[in-house]
Amino acid sequence: MHLSELIQISDIAERNQQLRKAFVAFTENVEVSGCELELLTVAANLTLPRDQVEDLRDVSLAKSLFQNKTHLKHCIEEVQWFHTHNLKYPDARVSKQRILVQLPELCSGVISGANLPFQLGWSHNSAQVNPAKLFLIQFIWRGENNTLLDVLANLDKVWKHAFLALGVAPGQLNELKRQVLDVQLVNRLPEEVSEFSKQIRVPIHDDYCALTPVVSHSVQAYLHQLIYDRQFQSKLIGHSHPASVGSLVASVGGNTRVLFYPPRVRRAGAKSFFDRSGANGLAVFDHTVLKSRSFINALSCIAGEHPAPVLRQRRQLRISALRYIRKQLALWLAPMMELRDSLDSNQADVSSIHALEEKLLYVLSEQLPTVLNELNIQLHLGLQKEKYAARYAYHPNLMAPLKHQLSWLLRYLARPEERMSQEGVQSMFVHFRQLKVHDASLMSNPYVAGVPSLTALGGLMHRYQRRLADMLEKPCTVVKGAWFISQYHIQTGKQMPEPSLLHHRSKVSNVQRPGIIDGVHGDLEMDLVLEIRFPDATQLPDLMCFQAAFPSRFAGGIMHPPSLYEQVNWLNIYRNKAELFRVLSRLPRSGCWIYPEDKGIDSFEALAFWLKAESDLRPVGMGFLPLEQPRERKNNCYAEPCLGVIRCMNPIDVRLAGKKAFFESAFWHFDTAMDAMLMKKAP
């Protein structure tokens, strides 16, 4: 958009609103070439509160502001509080500090400020939020992003004429340029860490470093642009004193937005699927799968409705649709798989099953393909009963593809069990079951909410390693870990902080609460699988030691094992991978495994595309990129959070993929280097 289009709006109130919106961080920059005088006029008038400006195009008001030395001095002084990373977000109590650094090193596979153009924000005294706008607003001039700081540093003849037209004499213009250059932007980091800044201790080599995560203004501003363009799902995070936090938060009235992608966890019922089905006399297939919009769209694609114009696109869409249909048919058969598992452990009563179901339950695994024809008929009968899927029942273009997918599933279930070579006796797998986490932070970092931070998983693994080694008085290593979320509940409302502020420090007084800092919190139930190695396994530790060493914190929340009345054996140790996978493959299909994703992302546009193309993907905080080398300040380092993607894998998909794929693809480890500290796929 060009500035000339906005200044032509006849209604003054509407024009003012559009002009203010055009020069905030969460909107795209406006082209101003040819409208330099109008830009200077609007920029000067934006430094006043709304109630003092009737028309942002008022040239006489702009002239008076450029002649007001006191007002202009306030605008210049605020330049020293421009930043690349906002230390006051989200806690505005951080004061007299700012960060102005070059972008971090570009890291492949994750998104950070290094993936975006250089952009400045502001945070300081909330009373000066308007004067800071004069040199802060960004615009496009002759095809390049600029601010008035850039304009004064490289004063072009066109801009000189614009300043002169507003009554700024040549001598005054040179003085203005000198004053701005005196407070010109140079790299700056705080000499000490504020008591209100969060710190995270991270193991690096054989030592520890305290990280102070700081939010990137360029990432936060660009995310808001994409969210307002409806490129992402989002959630509102409120700030009660927005002008105190910074320019971006003030421009949105304190209502900031973060990406919001919860894990693919469905609410589990009180009874098993078989119990509900037996009570109602229904078939033990999950027919809800057949009515989903995405499944019907996949059937439509295979049936040849609305084909793509290019042959290559038609082939790609057909392959994607067939893969999706196979996954959904596996979910359709999932209740029967669970029932076979429960029969193996003598947990189910099968007195009320039907003929086809009886065959599926009692036939030997290698004979499962023999029920293909009857199962295919059952599938089409199920399609007939659904309102929107009925037209695809016995569809001539779908008969062969659907039968082929069912045949593949039955043959896959009938395959002989995989054999895997076992590692040395020093390696074991510890499976923690049904761990409860309360009040966990669901914000992976300041940009995204949904799946808790992966660094929380890395911290839990390292903490467990330290506690177990101290308790056993011998070294051990938690090599890697896998994470399964079985239940997920987002809390409503805001959490009240603990009373910690004295009303009067010099006498007995009431204790007050600090200001509320908004966030996203929730409760989880999850399973963990950790691989632990001991240098000498001649004498294995007692099971009670493994239980006693387990941490009580996860993602800022309280974690504990199942209650005693549940009578759950919540910790088991396995040396045989096949035995462990047999247990893990029977986890409830309502949950999901958090898998590493090989598909790296290098832009927000790519992230938006993949999140829409593949419903299993979720954005999450992957770790931190240092903004400096660790230095004095008690070995502290300021770092920028970065974004990556994970894949939410349904237990049925994990089961069909097999043991080898699980142990090669499901595990995480914390990779620490001086240029990146990230959670990555374990080798």
Side-chain angles (χ1 to χ4, degrees), residues 7-27:
I7 62 179
Q8 291 175 2
I9 299 175
S10 57
D11 184 74
I12 295 178
E14 175 66 18
R15 183 172 66 227
N16 286 348
Q17 181 180 357
Q18 293 300 323
L19 286 172
R20 291 183 185 277
K21 185 178 179 180
F23 294 109
V24 292
F26 62 87
T27 59

Side-chain angles (χ1 to χ4, degrees), residues 477-615:
T477 303
V478 177
V479 182
K480 54 188 177 181
W483 184 17
F484 177 79
I485 302 177
S486 54
Q487 293 186 30
Y488 179 91
H489 172 71
I490 300 176
Q491 296 176 358
T492 58
K494 300 182 180 181
Q495 289 194 339
M496 294 289 291
E498 290 290 333
S500 59
L501 301 176
L502 292 175
H503 188 64
H504 297 288
R505 293 183 179 272
S506 58
K507 59 182 180 180
V508 177
S509 65
N510 295 330
V511 183
Q512 299 175 325
R513 299 178 187 270
I516 295 175
I517 299 177
D518 199 4
V520 185
H521 298 84
D523 303 327
L524 306 172
E525 183 176 310
M526 62 188 194
D527 286 33
L528 291 174
V529 180
L530 304 182
E531 181 181 352
I532 303 178
R533 291 181 183 173
F534 294 93
D536 183 9
T538 55
Q539 183 177 359
L540 293 179
D542 186 76
L543 184 65
M544 296 295 292
C545 292
F546 286 96
Q547 293 178 337
F550 197 73
S552 59
R553 304 281 295 180
F554 178 79
I558 303 298
M559 179 172 60
H560 58 80
S563 303
L564 292 176
Y565 71 84
E566 296 183 55
Q567 297 182 353
V568 174
N569 186 13
W570 62 276
L571 190 149
N572 292 284
I573 299 176
Y574 298 89
R575 290 190 177 278
N576 186 292
K577 291 183 177 180
E579 184 180 352
L580 171 61
F581 186 75
R582 191 176 297 112
V583 175
L584 299 180
S585 64
R586 299 181 178 186
L587 290 174
R589 68 186 183 282
S590 57
C592 70
W593 287 95
I594 305 300
Y595 264 48
E597 174 54 42
D598 296 331
K599 190 187 281 86
I601 52 174
D602 55 6
S603 68
F604 282 105
E605 288 76 14
L607 176 62
F609 171 80
W610 286 114
L611 291 180
K612 293 177 182 177
E614 299 191 30
S615 59

Side-chain angles (χ1 to χ4, degrees), residues 149-177:
L149 287 176
D150 304 315
V151 167
L152 287 174
N154 309 287
L155 203 52
D156 189 90
K157 187 183 298 184
V158 177
W159 287 103
K160 286 184 180 179
H161 291 312
F163 277 106
L164 292 173
L166 287 178
V168 182
Q172 291 176 311
L173 183 57
N174 291 332
E175 178 64 17
L176 177 62
K177 179 178 180 179

